[in-house]
């Protein structure tokens, strides 16, 4: 795992959240996760091992291709995602008691997906452009999964580093499962 990319992602996450949320943000030190363990949620321990799988209500996923291959996921609880969507849209904070997926209308679900996807895209692209040695890497458009307690498993072939972030809206987990490409890379046009 490239330390430059991890450092760039950490800075990009902190700066993007500070700009979008306009509130206090704590970014923890990145930590390596054990993808061979099996547990209900990233960041939780099973027999002392931290897992590389993510469990959450809302998860954004961006893939890197080219000189880097792998994924970056941003997971959070539904109430955190709902607050994030409202804050990014400049709307008043919703009643957190309504933060149940089955209680949300299509417009609210779309707003959550748009906000989480936009936030993750900003972080992924900012980090990619500011890290070193990734001049031929590309990032995909984000995909957002919304559903209670879904699980996103990381590849056992790629180490995962997790960056935990705590905001006034709740906790966000950025899991980075990216490695250098082993194949030939076509020249950029």
């Amino acid at each position: 795992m490239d330390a430059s990319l991890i450092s760039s992602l950490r800075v990009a996450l902190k700066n993007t959240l500070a700009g979008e949320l306009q509130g206090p943000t704590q970014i923890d030190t990145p930590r390596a996760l054990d993808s061979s363990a099996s547990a209900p949620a990233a960041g939780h321990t099973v027999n002392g091992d931290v897992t590389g799988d993510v469990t959450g209500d809302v998860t954004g996923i961006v893939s890197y291709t080219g000189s880097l291959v792998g994924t970056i996921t941003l997971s959070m609880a539904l109430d955190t995602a709902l607050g994030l969507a409202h804050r990014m849209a400049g709307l008043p904070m919703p009643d957190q008691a309504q933060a149940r997926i089955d209680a949300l209308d299509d417009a609210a679900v779309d707003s959550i997906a748009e906000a989480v996807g936009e936030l993750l895209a900003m972080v992924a692209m900012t980090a990619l452009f500011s890290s070193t040695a990734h001049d031929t890497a590309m990032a995909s458009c984000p995909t957002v999964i919304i559903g209670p307690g879904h699980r996103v498993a990381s590849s056992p072939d790629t180490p995962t580093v997790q960056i935990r972030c705590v905001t006034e809206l709740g906790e966000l987990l950025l899991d980075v499962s990216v490695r250098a490409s082993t194949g030939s890379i076509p020249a950029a046009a």
Side-chain angles (χ1 to χ4, degrees):
M1 181 88 43
D2 186 299
S4 169
L5 178 63
I6 299 300
S7 177
S8 294
L9 282 164
R10 189 169 186 255
V11 169
L13 181 62
K14 183 175 180 74
N15 292 343
T16 303
L17 286 172
E20 293 297 325
L21 301 183
Q22 308 268 321
T25 302
Q26 173 191 324
I27 307 291
D28 290 351
T29 301
R31 62 182 177 165
L33 301 183
D34 178 6
S35 62
S36 66
S38 177
H44 292 98
T45 61
V46 173
N47 300 328
D49 295 327
V50 179
T51 71
D53 293 348
V54 174
T55 300
D57 297 328
V58 180
T59 301
I61 304 169
V62 166
S63 297
Y64 282 144
T65 59
S67 59
L68 295 174
V69 293
T71 59
I72 297 173
T73 61
L74 181 65
S75 282
M76 64 201 76
L78 180 63
D79 58 343
T80 302
L82 189 59
L84 178 71
H86 277 76
R87 185 71 60 85
M88 288 177 71
L91 300 172
M93 295 303 290
D95 177 6
Q96 296 300 322
Q98 297 298 317
R100 288 190 356 255
I101 291 171
D102 60 349
L104 297 175
D105 60 20
D106 288 343
V109 171
D110 290 346
S111 293
I112 289 170
E114 188 174 314
V116 171
E118 181 180 339
L119 179 69
L120 183 57
M122 287 188 282
V123 170
M125 291 306 295
T126 300
L128 191 60
F129 288 130
S130 57
S131 66
T132 60
H134 305 301
D135 56 343
T136 60
M138 297 171 281
S140 70
C141 292
T143 298
V144 178
I145 301 167
I146 301 174
H150 64 266
R151 181 175 174 208
V152 178
S154 60
S155 170
D157 299 334
T158 305
T160 301
V161 171
Q162 184 177 82
I163 304 170
R164 179 177 168 264
C165 176
V166 179
T167 72
E168 63 188 355
L169 300 175
E171 179 182 89
L172 296 88
L173 298 175
L174 184 73
D175 281 16
V176 184
S177 188
V178 177
R179 61 178 170 74
S181 174
T182 57
S184 62
I185 304 166

